[in-house]
Amino acid sequence: MPSADHELGSARAVSTSPEHQTATTFLPHVQGLRAIAVLCVVLYHFWPGRLTGGYVGVDIFFVISGFLITAHLMRELTATGTVRLGQFWARRARRLLPASLLVLLFSALVAMSPYLTPTSALPNEVREILASTFYVENWYLAINSADYLNHSGDPTTVQHYWSLSLEEQFYVMWPLLMLLAAWIGVKWFSGARRKAVIVTLAVISLASFVFCVVFTLTDPAPAYFVTFGRMWQFGVGAMIALVPWLRVKHPLASFVLGWAGLVAILYAAVQFDGQTPFPGYMAAIPTLGAAAVIAASNTERWWYPTRVLAIRPAQFIGDISYSLYLWHWPLIIIAPSVPFWGLTIYHRLALLVLCFVLAWLTKRFVEDPARRWKVLTSRPPRVTLFSSLGAMLLVAVVAVAAWGVNAPAYAAGVRGLEELRDDPPTCFGAAVVLDEACGDVDFGDAVLPAPGFAGVDRPADEQCFVQLTDSRPVSCTFGSDDPEAPRVALVGDSHAYQLLSTFQQLAEANGWQLVTWFKGACPWNTTPLSTPGAFGEACTQWRDEVRAAITDADLDAVFTAAIATTPYSAQGFDSSYDAAVSGYQEAWSEVLDEGTPVITVVDNPVWETDPNKCLRTRDAATCVGARDDVLVQDDPLRGAAGGIEGVTLLDFTDVFCGPEVCSTVVGGANIYRDQDHLTVTFANSLAPWYEQAVADALAAR
């Protein structure tokens, strides 16, 4: 997140606040580095498939903040022997909160509108606005195991506040740590304040780095957000501020160091992606790259990085970087829901320009005036702090009001969804295509569940689904308790889990006992994933445990499904496709050899973004996708099932797609709850065909 610490190193605007009355040296290349960082993040969010590692921009900001804040605190500590905490925190509040709370207020108002925020997303949107308002968003995401790099889940308009929350926690802890270290230096080390501060922060940074590496390997999703796992990046910047010999003045050394740092940042931005084990040890590349750029301080020649980064465009972007960071993400999330707004390259470029305009306006009319507002700067720090608390409470009230306004609609949506599941219309959903008796039934403009509520139309038994680095072979049992009842297993990744509610109903209706094993992004296959680190290892371990459990379960049939885009390791095969096909066949062979039939299904289309964003503002006939773009033509499940005795393959491709395009609504049924998972409502419309396939498999056994 781009920390708004411009004035800490600026001679252009001498602070008149009592805690900082002397000007300091402005470092243009640090401001230019800030521009590179924010552009990395913004371009990554606009085009994640192009700049796959742009998320490292946040790591650059952490280094910059560590450098500037530590330098400021050390100057005050050296001059006065202490740090006036109230004044320091009040200054931070005046600098950061006005723009931050403005964008949060905007997001809360947007949440009130069912046209811009789907009703199903409202509870999480409000919770995250509240978490962001009180600067604990990073912990909220860590606790909920959000996978930031793999874009899992349904992101809110304020998810990017995780980094701002982490920085605010840094602003609280860092001066306290430095004061404690200085006190230790005075009391036990003959007044060696600076040395004690350096040693303390170095030890903390080293411990943080070790923790970061280990935690990323064992639990990467929360590791991305946890505060202590990121402190070492602030510490790297702090060391440059505290250790003079780290700031390189020699012309040649500065030239080489600065350009090497920029190359490291560019390498990470281009080569890293969602599969990179991050932050972990890989975060050292952009972190040390940013540190190298800051440390390269010679400005003698125009081709030195210090001079290149000082050009006016870079300075302008650096100046507005804080507001640009704040505004860009909410606009990206909201834009697809705006009526008549398309998703073409021209719309994205126009939105990018709008982000810059809003950032400049916010800098000019919110950030700068608030920082110098005399009603606060001329009064004790507690006035600023209590005013900030009041403003935060105001945003919180508006966010809660957004829930209050829409709570009746949310409750009505829940009731409507239950009624739709219990009593769907005749020839609803897939039956329009698959049931010859339905003929030319036309549901007109009906879309059920409504696009604003499709997100909650998912299986309810989340305790049966494990994900991320959890390798426990969690199993759930539903349906008949009769020990003689046919035992049917449902096993696979989230595309198997999306069928759970449908198969629960089938088990109850047919007297089956349903046994389940689900793990996110981990199909029932023996080929290792190409995903490195703890997640890939957890998938392998889960499969081994499930294989043993299936062997001991005395099953009568197994139904499996999987997303077709799973990344498999191609080691030992001509392609990842061949590896996947072989892995499925090997996994199935163990139950087939015992005489247990296997039923599988060709995967449904996978969209770039949630189709409901389109359906909320456009006619369903326009919310379609080219077949070649959204449908994986070579689904390894189809290849694995071909010609193998005992395996039944279901293929509903003609339900989802015509010859040229794939639909988002069929027979009045809203197919998707997000970009690739089916609504329970639509899955239920396929129930007769699932039921027949399982019944035939059981009868043939």
Side-chain angles (χ1 to χ4, degrees), residues 294-377:
I294 296 173
S297 53
N298 190 289
T299 61
E300 287 185 9
R301 300 288 187 269
W302 68 266
W303 58 82
Y304 285 13
T306 48
R307 293 281 292 276
V308 173
L309 291 174
I311 61 175
R312 184 56 198 154
Q315 297 300 292
F316 171 75
I317 296 173
D319 285 343
I320 66 170
S321 60
Y322 179 57
S323 289
L324 181 59
Y325 182 86
L326 292 175
W327 279 113
H328 84 282
W329 183 249
L331 296 183
I332 289 174
I333 296 298
I334 295 167
S337 300
V338 176
F340 311 114
W341 188 269
L343 297 175
T344 67
I345 182 63
Y346 303 106
H347 287 99
R348 294 195 184 197
L349 290 174
L351 189 64
L352 183 61
V353 171
L354 179 60
C355 291
F356 275 85
V357 172
L358 281 175
W360 177 80
L361 290 172
T362 305
K363 174 69 165 59
R364 175 70 177 80
F365 296 106
V366 178
E367 286 189 57
D368 292 344
R371 189 176 71 248
R372 295 188 290 264
W373 200 15
K374 288 187 178 180
V375 71
L376 296 178
T377 58

Side-chain angles (χ1 to χ4, degrees), residues 279-600:
Y281 62 90
M282 295 298 285
I285 294 176
T287 299
L288 295 178
V293 174
I294 296 173
S297 53
N298 190 289
T299 61
E300 287 185 9
R301 300 288 187 269
W302 68 266
W303 58 82
Y304 285 13
T306 48
R307 293 281 292 276
V308 173
L309 291 174
I311 61 175
R312 184 56 198 154
Q315 297 300 292
F316 171 75
I317 296 173
D319 285 343
I320 66 170
S321 60
Y322 179 57
S323 289
L324 181 59
Y325 182 86
L326 292 175
W327 279 113
H328 84 282
W329 183 249
L331 296 183
I332 289 174
I333 296 298
I334 295 167
S337 300
V338 176
F340 311 114
W341 188 269
L343 297 175
T344 67
I345 182 63
Y346 303 106
H347 287 99
R348 294 195 184 197
L349 290 174
L351 189 64
L352 183 61
V353 171
L354 179 60
C355 291
F356 275 85
V357 172
L358 281 175
W360 177 80
L361 290 172
T362 305
K363 174 69 165 59
R364 175 70 177 80
F365 296 106
V366 178
E367 286 189 57
D368 292 344
R371 189 176 71 248
R372 295 188 290 264
W373 200 15
K374 288 187 178 180
V375 71
L376 296 178
T377 58
S378 62
R379 286 174 169 77
R382 64 177 178 272
V383 175
T384 293
L385 297 176
F386 279 114
S387 298
S388 300
L389 179 60
M392 293 163 70
L393 291 173
L394 173 63
V395 173
V397 167
V398 175
V400 173
W403 167 250
V405 168
N406 291 282
Y410 188 88
V414 171
R415 290 193 301 270
L417 190 56
E418 292 174 350
E419 293 171 1
L420 177 62
R421 289 185 185 179
D422 293 339
D423 188 21
T426 303
C427 292
F428 182 67
V432 165
V433 178
L434 298 176
D435 189 344
E436 295 179 357
C438 289
D440 297 325
V441 175
D442 185 4
F443 284 87
D445 296 330
V447 180
L448 298 173
F453 215 76
V456 298
D457 194 8
R458 64 181 68 210
D461 294 276
E462 295 182 0
Q463 76 279 3
C464 302
F465 183 75
V466 300
Q467 53 187 326
L468 301 173
T469 57
D470 191 344
S471 61
R472 296 173 299 131
V474 173
S475 178
C476 294
T477 303
F478 305 94
S480 176
D481 294 329
D482 185 346
E484 300 300 320
R487 302 196 76 201
V488 178
L490 181 59
V491 56
D493 61 12
S494 62
H495 281 215
Y497 173 69
Q498 69 186 358
L499 306 178
L500 175 58
S501 295
T502 303
F503 272 73
Q504 285 175 299
Q505 294 179 17
L506 293 177
E508 293 288 347
N510 290 278
W512 304 335
Q513 185 177 92
L514 180 67
V515 186
T516 68
W517 289 276
F518 306 115
K519 178 171 171 58
C522 185
W524 182 35
N525 191 303
T526 60
T527 300
L529 302 182
S530 61
T531 310
F535 180 80
E537 294 172 3
C539 180
T540 298
Q541 184 177 346
W542 178 84
R543 288 170 171 176
D544 291 341
E545 297 282 354
V546 168
R547 179 172 54 190
I550 288 176
T551 301
D552 296 336
D554 190 23
L555 300 172
D556 295 293
V558 179
F559 193 105
T560 186
I563 189 169
T565 56
T566 301
Y568 291 94
S569 171
Q571 185 174 1
F573 296 90
D574 293 336
S575 67
S576 60
Y577 171 82
D578 292 336
V581 168
S582 176
Y584 282 125
Q585 292 176 340
E586 184 177 351
W588 302 344
S589 66
E590 297 186 11
V591 296
L592 291 172
D593 290 345
E594 297 296 324
T596 303
V598 173
I599 308 101
T600 189

